[in-house]
Amino acid sequence: MDHKGLKEWSKKAADWAHDYHEGLRDRPVRATMEPGSLRDQLPTAAPEQGEAMEQIWEDFTSLVPDAMTHWQHPRFFAYFPANAAPVSMLAEQLVNAMASNALIWQAAPAATEVEQAMMVWLRKALGLPDAFTGTIHDSATTATLSAILTMREAALEWKGLYEGLSGQPRMRIYASGETHSSIDKAVRVAGIGQDNLVKIPVDEDLSMRPDLLAQAIKEDRAAGYLPIGIVLCAGGTSVGAFDKMKECIAIARAEDLPTHIDAAWAGSAMICPEFRPLWAGAEGADSIIFNPHKWLGAQFDCAVQFMRNPIEQVRTLGLRPTYLETLGTSEVTNFNEWTIPLGRRFRALKIWFLLRAHGLEDLRNRIRNHVAWAEELYAKIEALPGIEMTSSPRLSLFSFALEAGDAATEKLLQKINDDGRIYLTQTHHKGRLVIRMQVGQFDCTRDDVMMVETVLKELL
């Protein structure tokens, strides 16, 4: 295919994309297939000679869509959504066409400078102080790893980068059991070790207990460990837990420890001032992450990290050999030094398009609707016989289970997802299996959300 062919097939792809989205409500949300069934239909080796695009296209349309779980389906209520507003898709097309690698400023000046501007726009939209600056990662997992690596090196006075971790003090990081598994992965990958992630018990509101946090730090210091940081939860993935930011950050400051807030899902809701009390005190943190791809409509992948002092993270992750210097200029920002990968996509363009095309008020209204519809649905499900509500709505997330127990709850969830009209997932909460329900798909309507009650009534 040359660029003339690309022009022709891009138009065909755009038409297909339009029809695909128009027909999503008629498709089952989750793929209805057995593992390996698509793979077994593909040849076992690549062709020696190129094939006609017509044949490739026919194979795509006949094999791929029905083997996909449709994340843009308006009744996708599982996990958290990976939203893609149409204007965000358009921006990604343009990024793909330019196919740049924004590894340093001179390699893609616009990518760097639009990213700088969008970090200011988003910081103001979330009501964070001017002291914060930010960058874009691929996902919250990578952003959290970056923050934890920075905690490690700051505590070791950057000796770990050069001497390794052998012979260094045993380090400790503190979080609650409601934090995402990405925190566990980060302490593993950072060489700190799973056993040194100290899970602090939570109170009845599922918030990490500040008194037990302070006690754990004191006991670890007495035992000869090296506390290096605290990770706080703002909207836990399981059932939406929020830590008490102000109290926990006060302890961190008293102990001279940095804090990192994981607001991957719920952070987007903070563009609405009325939801900010949920993370009151977040402005005192050292690092905050949230995913615009989860609830704002920025196409996956797009994770934003705000930092009070990026110098420490740049000192941890930055590495500038001669071939990555920008000659003949004063100091410029090279975002690869703020993040783990050297290569970087132009992710800021979709944020720029999105915020301009929708405006903050439209995005706020969507989030407010999702929260209101979740609360309405919660009341409807609560009235159904045999169902127990196991967590109340935190923003647009709640959970429920069958009174008959875990086996019955699991069977019901399987029936729901096999039915295909909606898609839900499960978690363990307070020792039992529960079904999670979250509202957040960009184009869902109230009718889509209330379909959950309809399906439950029919399948119970």
Side-chain angles (χ1 to χ4, degrees):
M1 180 184 291
D2 56 17
H3 286 280
K4 183 179 179 180
L6 175 63
K7 180 178 179 181
E8 174 188 346
W9 284 97
S10 291
K11 291 178 180 178
K12 189 175 183 72
D15 290 340
W16 178 89
H18 176 270
D19 294 343
Y20 169 76
H21 283 272
E22 284 287 299
L24 273 178
R25 280 187 177 85
D26 299 326
R27 294 178 179 268
V29 187
R30 194 177 70 167
T32 55
M33 58 182 290
E34 293 298 320
S37 58
L38 172 60
R39 180 194 62 224
D40 292 345
Q41 296 180 67
L42 302 179
T44 57
E48 293 293 335
Q49 304 298 324
E51 298 178 333
M53 191 60 215
E54 287 78 5
Q55 183 60 54
I56 299 170
W57 183 262
E58 181 180 338
D59 289 345
F60 164 75
T61 55
S62 64
L63 295 175
V64 174
D66 289 340
M68 292 294 291
T69 292
H70 303 291
W71 283 71
Q72 305 310 314
H73 198 295
R75 294 194 294 273
F76 181 102
F77 304 123
Y79 312 108
F80 291 113
N83 278 329
V87 72
S88 178
M89 298 181 199
L90 178 63
E92 284 288 73
Q93 288 181 27
L94 300 175
V95 168
N96 291 340
M98 290 184 285
S100 65
N101 184 349
L103 45 88
I104 60 175
W105 176 87
Q106 72 174 0
T112 298
E113 297 189 13
V114 173
E115 183 166 338
Q116 289 173 314
M118 291 307 98
M119 296 304 94
V120 175
W121 286 20
L122 288 173
R123 184 194 71 213
K124 291 179 177 179
L126 270 61
L128 293 172
D130 292 348
F132 283 99
T133 186
T135 189
I136 306 176
H137 299 259
D138 54 359
S139 68
T141 299
T142 307
T144 292
L145 175 58
S146 300
I148 286 180
L149 287 169
T150 303
M151 289 178 178
R152 185 194 77 187
E153 286 308 307
L156 296 178
E157 299 179 340
W158 286 271
K159 293 178 182 177
L161 294 176
Y162 303 98
E163 300 175 10
L165 302 184
S166 177
Q168 303 291 357
R170 187 168 178 177
M171 293 169 278
R172 307 285 261 188
I173 284 183
Y174 307 89
S176 84
E178 294 295 325
T179 51
H180 191 268
S181 60
S182 61
I183 316 303
D184 300 68
K185 178 175 283 190
V187 298
R188 292 180 176 191
V189 174
I192 295 165
Q194 181 77 57
D195 292 346
N196 294 309
L197 176 58
V198 182
K199 297 292 182 72
I200 306 297
V202 298
D203 59 21
E204 286 300 312
D205 199 37
L206 304 179
S207 300
M208 180 163 59
R209 285 182 53 180
D211 59 329
L212 297 182
L213 171 63
Q215 179 182 331
I217 296 170
K218 180 180 180 180
E219 290 175 353
D220 280 348
R221 289 196 194 279
Y225 299 136
L226 178 63
I228 67 170
I230 300 167
V231 179
L232 300 172
C233 182
T237 297
S238 183
V239 292
F242 279 82
D243 287 329
K244 295 179 175 65
M245 305 296 163
K246 190 173 295 185
E247 292 90 333
C248 292
I249 291 173
I251 291 170
R253 287 185 172 176
E255 296 287 349
D256 195 26
L257 294 176
T259 50
H260 171 70
I261 296 177
D262 179 6
W265 154 67
S268 294
M270 302 309 157
I271 67 172
C272 304
E274 67 270 27
F275 297 138
R276 291 177 192 163
L278 287 169
W279 76 348
E283 66 278 2
D286 297 288
S287 172
I288 302 172
I289 59 165
F290 87 107
N291 289 341
H293 69 240
K294 276 201 168 79
W295 210 0
L296 280 187
Q299 187 168 18
F300 182 84
D301 50 14
C302 185
V304 168
Q305 180 190 14
F306 292 110
M307 288 158 278
R308 182 174 298 280
N309 177 18
I311 292 174
E312 292 189 344
Q313 189 153 308
V314 171
R315 187 175 176 184
T316 301
L317 302 178
L319 190 63
R320 192 183 300 188
T322 303
Y323 53 77
L324 291 180
E325 293 176 352
T326 299
L327 301 178
T329 66
S330 58
E331 183 63 26
V332 293
T333 295
N334 294 320
F335 277 124
N336 81 82
E337 298 175 327
W338 299 41
T339 60
I340 292 172
L342 173 59
R344 305 187 83 251
R345 298 182 64 246
F346 188 178
R347 294 185 178 92
L349 192 71
K350 58 193 169 193
I351 300 178
W352 189 40
F353 274 40
L354 175 73
L355 294 179
R356 294 183 64 188
H358 284 272
L360 289 173
E361 197 54 34
D362 178 71
L363 297 174
R364 290 187 190 109
N365 286 337
R366 288 171 186 267
I367 289 172
R368 287 166 177 154
N369 282 339
H370 295 168
V371 172
W373 296 337
E375 291 173 349
E376 181 182 356
L377 178 64
Y378 178 93
K380 291 179 178 291
I381 295 176
E382 189 176 29
L384 297 177
I387 286 184
E388 178 184 352
M389 308 310 292
T390 51
S391 65
S392 57
R394 294 293 184 96
L395 296 171
S396 65
L397 170 65
F398 63 86
S399 67
F400 61 94
L402 288 183
E403 294 173 349
D406 285 3
T409 299
E410 182 177 355
K411 184 177 180 181
L412 172 63
L413 180 61
Q414 191 65 49
K415 288 171 64 177
I416 289 169
N417 290 334
D418 287 346
D419 175 81
R421 284 174 288 175
I422 63 174
Y423 183 27
L424 304 177
T425 49
Q426 73 288 333
T427 189
H428 273 91
H429 179 55
K430 295 186 176 180
R432 63 188 300 189
L433 182 76
V434 302
I435 298 173
R436 296 171 68 259
M437 168 67 204
Q438 68 77 32
V439 183
Q441 203 284 331
F442 197 72
D443 287 324
C444 73
T445 65
R446 178 186 173 277
D447 287 346
D448 290 318
V449 176
M450 298 310 144
M451 177 63 74
V452 176
E453 180 199 20
T454 300
V455 171
L456 286 174
K457 281 182 174 179
E458 293 179 14
L459 298 182
L460 279 172

